[in-house]
Amino acid sequence: MATAVALLAGCAVGPDYHRPATAIPATYKETPEGWKVAQPADQHDRGDWWSIYNDAQLNALEDKLNRNNQSIAQYAAAYRQARALVGEARASYFPTITASGSASRSRTPLSSSSSSSVSSGRSGVISNSYSASLDASWEPDLWGKISRTVGAQEASQQGAAADLANARLSAQATLAQTYFSLRSLDAQQKLLDDTVAAYARSLQLTQNQYAQGVAGRADVIQAQTQLQSAQASAIDNGVTRAQDEHAIAVLVGEPASTFSIPPAPLDAVPPQVPVQMPSALLERRPDIASAERKAAAANEEIGVAIAAYFPSLTLSASGGFESSVFSKLLSMPSRFWTLGPSLAGTIFDAGLRRAQTDAARAAYDQQAAAYRLAVLTAFQDVEDNLASQRILAQEIVVQQQAVESAKHALDIITNEYKAGTVAYLNVLTAQTTAFTAEQKLASLAGQRMVSSVGLVKALGGGWDVAQMDRETGDVMAPAATPASTPAAAAPQSQSAAPAGAASDQTPGQAPGQAPAS
């Protein structure tokens, strides 16, 4: 009997999991010249990827985010819940043992038979009953329902670890992008302040010209209007900066009312980021890993649904002591036991199991499509940011030339105005052109830094798929934990890295069709 049960327990019904097939390009279309493919040394865990920008203020903010960000804390709690559900599912492999004890006192009519343990009362005979027992039951995993459930929960746990990593990476990237946006605004604020000072000097020049009868009153009014407009723009720039500062406060888990960042104009340039091969992107993106693990969990649920077609076997045993006299409860004559199997199967369910199986297959198809979409979106994300880096770099070179030309033109026209050969309107036009060119250049520099962070995020930051088995669920970024640590190690069965580009599926077999035993 035990041998037969052991043999049957190895027969798990339902489809074996294979990663959904998806097309992987050989190269990135937007990889510019001079960019190198990442080498093995570049693939180490770069948990603090933001350190490539060499900004002490950014490093300190990212450390605060890792400790205090509440979005990360939510996903960390979800991971710990998923880890607990794995333990809950594994408990079904083992028998359930319960202990019970009872004591009762009953009264029967006087006409009833009596024993040495009864006493007479006014209206009947009072009897006592005592019992103590152990009960055990175990359901062998004949058709793989338990193993499929455990597999689904393990995949969900790894998916939750990837979700946590993705939430952490997203928050870190959002912080870095907002920080560089704020620094760009600081640079624009400096430009605006310098422009206000220049326009004030221009107004003074015009007033002097007017006092000497060289310029008209209209020139003074125009210069004054231009100065006041620049002053208004300088004040308005503070609104957007305050909003960025408040957004950073929320990201690092501090009240916006007590948080501030000292102004410092942006003076950084994007570092060169090694670009991995497209196939490696599937190992580096936690959102892709999460989608793949969700597909694996959905595949296991198909096996759980199919197992419901087969009968379940339950082995149960109980034993204990029962006596009407407490002092004799643990004696041999009071002992009792029962032992026996129970086989149960559903004969008619009005199509319930078929509907549940169809629903499980449809859920798998949904998750497989979500995985393929995540892969396509990831490649789009990389291409978008590569294109942005390439185009912005070219645009900045041209814009720098435009700034130099505008400054040169302004110097010439200002001198001509002082000589009285051109009208003040020419000066206003030249000043506006120069200011607009410089403002555009400062804005482009900020966009380029934001795009640089977007590229790092699109490439997965410093994450690697192996971290799904090392994730601790803490708010802090996970440290490399030895795989032998029980609390951190995750099972390796059916948990291959979701980096494969091709499916291992048997030709002609659709996911969820053929039971495997």
Side-chain angles (χ1 to χ4, degrees), residues 71 77 84 97 114 134 177 194 199 203 274 310-311 408 455 459 481:
S71 294
I97 301 175
S114 60
L134 284 175
Q177 289 178 323
D194 292 343
Y199 287 177
L203 174 61
F310 300 91
H408 185 57
L455 178 59
L459 294 171
T481 304

Side-chain angles (χ1 to χ4, degrees), residues 141 300 361:
D141 192 19
E300 297 300 292
R361 294 186 198 278

Side-chain angles (χ1 to χ4, degrees), residues 269-316:
V269 294
Q272 188 180 72
V273 179
V275 181
Q276 301 97 355
M277 292 295 291
S279 59
L281 187 65
L282 306 191
E283 297 181 11
R284 308 293 296 181
R285 292 268 302 218
D287 56 338
I288 294 179
S290 173
E292 188 273 340
R293 289 290 84 197
K294 287 180 172 66
N299 181 81
E300 297 300 292
E301 293 295 343
I302 298 175
V304 174
I306 293 176
Y309 281 99
F310 300 91
S312 60
L313 174 66
T314 302
L315 303 178
S316 59

Side-chain angles (χ1 to χ4, degrees), residues 158-226:
Q158 292 183 319
D163 285 338
L164 172 55
N166 190 53
R168 182 181 290 118
L169 176 60
S170 296
Q172 291 168 345
T174 300
L175 171 59
Q177 289 178 323
T178 307
Y179 175 79
F180 286 126
S181 175
L182 182 142
R183 289 309 186 205
S184 175
L185 292 172
D186 286 344
Q188 293 182 52
Q189 185 65 50
K190 183 178 184 302
L191 171 62
L192 286 165
D193 293 341
D194 292 343
T195 301
V196 167
Y199 287 177
R201 291 193 297 270
S202 180
L203 174 61
Q204 184 62 49
L205 171 64
T206 308
Q207 289 173 335
N208 293 338
Q209 296 282 71
Y210 174 71
Q212 297 172 4
V214 177
R217 179 63 179 169
D219 291 349
V220 176
I221 299 300
Q222 287 177 325
Q224 194 171 34
T225 301
Q226 187 179 44

Side-chain angles (χ1 to χ4, degrees), residues 163-398:
D163 285 338
L164 172 55
N166 190 53
R168 182 181 290 118
L169 176 60
S170 296
Q172 291 168 345
T174 300
L175 171 59
Q177 289 178 323
T178 307
Y179 175 79
F180 286 126
S181 175
L182 182 142
R183 289 309 186 205
S184 175
L185 292 172
D186 286 344
Q188 293 182 52
Q189 185 65 50
K190 183 178 184 302
L191 171 62
L192 286 165
D193 293 341
D194 292 343
T195 301
V196 167
Y199 287 177
R201 291 193 297 270
S202 180
L203 174 61
Q204 184 62 49
L205 171 64
T206 308
Q207 289 173 335
N208 293 338
Q209 296 282 71
Y210 174 71
Q212 297 172 4
V214 177
R217 179 63 179 169
D219 291 349
V220 176
I221 299 300
Q222 287 177 325
Q224 194 171 34
T225 301
Q226 187 179 44
L227 171 60
Q228 291 167 342
S229 296
Q231 289 172 334
S233 297
I235 296 172
D236 183 68
N237 190 66
V239 175
T240 307
R241 188 192 189 280
Q243 291 173 344
D244 282 351
E245 190 176 67
H246 300 161
I248 292 175
V250 173
L251 287 168
V252 300
E254 294 189 17
S257 302
T258 59
F259 181 82
S260 63
I261 299 177
L266 178 66
D267 61 356
V269 294
Q272 188 180 72
V273 179
V275 181
Q276 301 97 355
M277 292 295 291
S279 59
L281 187 65
L282 306 191
E283 297 181 11
R284 308 293 296 181
R285 292 268 302 218
D287 56 338
I288 294 179
S290 173
E292 188 273 340
R293 289 290 84 197
K294 287 180 172 66
N299 181 81
E300 297 300 292
E301 293 295 343
I302 298 175
V304 174
I306 293 176
Y309 281 99
F310 300 91
S312 60
L313 174 66
T314 302
L315 303 178
S316 59
S318 63
F321 299 89
E322 186 174 14
S323 175
S324 58
V325 181
F326 183 76
S327 61
K328 297 181 179 180
L329 178 61
L330 300 181
S331 62
M332 291 298 291
S334 300
R335 185 179 61 175
F336 72 92
W337 60 268
T338 60
L339 176 66
S342 173
L343 191 66
T346 303
I347 297 176
F348 176 74
D349 63 1
L352 174 63
R353 288 169 295 176
R354 177 179 297 179
Q356 290 174 334
T357 303
D358 290 344
R361 294 186 198 278
Y364 170 80
D365 292 339
Q366 179 183 3
Q367 295 300 333
Y371 168 71
R372 296 187 183 98
L373 178 60
V375 173
L376 292 174
T377 303
F379 286 119
Q380 177 194 0
D381 199 7
V382 174
E383 294 288 0
D384 286 348
N385 284 282
L386 284 174
S388 176
Q389 286 288 284
R390 175 178 61 82
I391 294 170
L392 286 172
Q394 295 172 353
E395 188 176 0
I396 284 175
V397 172
V398 176

Side-chain angles (χ1 to χ4, degrees), residues 23-240:
I24 306 297
T27 59
Y28 295 111
K29 179 178 68 174
E30 283 289 346
T31 304
E33 295 182 4
W35 287 61
K36 72 183 185 71
V37 174
Q39 301 301 315
D42 298 320
Q43 305 297 327
H44 66 282
D45 178 14
R46 299 187 303 274
D48 55 345
W49 55 264
W50 53 88
S51 62
I52 63 175
Y53 295 102
N54 296 316
D55 190 309
Q57 179 73 64
L58 176 61
N59 294 345
L61 291 172
E62 293 287 0
D63 289 341
K64 285 185 178 180
L65 178 142
N66 288 330
R67 293 192 301 269
N68 304 322
N69 183 270
Q70 296 307 302
S71 294
I72 298 176
Q74 291 180 47
Y75 281 93
Y79 170 77
R80 293 194 296 271
Q81 180 185 28
R83 186 171 59 189
L85 290 175
V86 173
E88 179 181 321
R90 284 177 177 168
S92 298
Y93 280 127
F94 303 95
T96 300
I97 301 175
T98 59
S100 62
S102 65
S104 63
R105 187 179 181 88
S106 62
R107 184 181 62 192
T108 58
L110 288 171
S111 58
S112 301
S113 58
S114 60
S115 66
S116 59
S117 64
V118 301
S119 59
S120 297
R122 262 184 206 178
S123 57
V125 178
I126 297 175
S127 61
N128 300 320
S129 177
Y130 305 97
S131 68
S133 65
L134 284 175
D135 300 289
S137 63
W138 178 52
E139 182 178 344
D141 192 19
L142 299 183
W143 318 111
K145 177 181 178 181
I146 297 176
S147 62
R148 292 290 189 185
T149 301
V150 171
Q153 294 297 344
E154 289 173 348
S156 295
Q157 176 191 354
Q158 292 183 319
D163 285 338
L164 172 55
N166 190 53
R168 182 181 290 118
L169 176 60
S170 296
Q172 291 168 345
T174 300
L175 171 59
Q177 289 178 323
T178 307
Y179 175 79
F180 286 126
S181 175
L182 182 142
R183 289 309 186 205
S184 175
L185 292 172
D186 286 344
Q188 293 182 52
Q189 185 65 50
K190 183 178 184 302
L191 171 62
L192 286 165
D193 293 341
D194 292 343
T195 301
V196 167
Y199 287 177
R201 291 193 297 270
S202 180
L203 174 61
Q204 184 62 49
L205 171 64
T206 308
Q207 289 173 335
N208 293 338
Q209 296 282 71
Y210 174 71
Q212 297 172 4
V214 177
R217 179 63 179 169
D219 291 349
V220 176
I221 299 300
Q222 287 177 325
Q224 194 171 34
T225 301
Q226 187 179 44
L227 171 60
Q228 291 167 342
S229 296
Q231 289 172 334
S233 297
I235 296 172
D236 183 68
N237 190 66
V239 175
T240 307

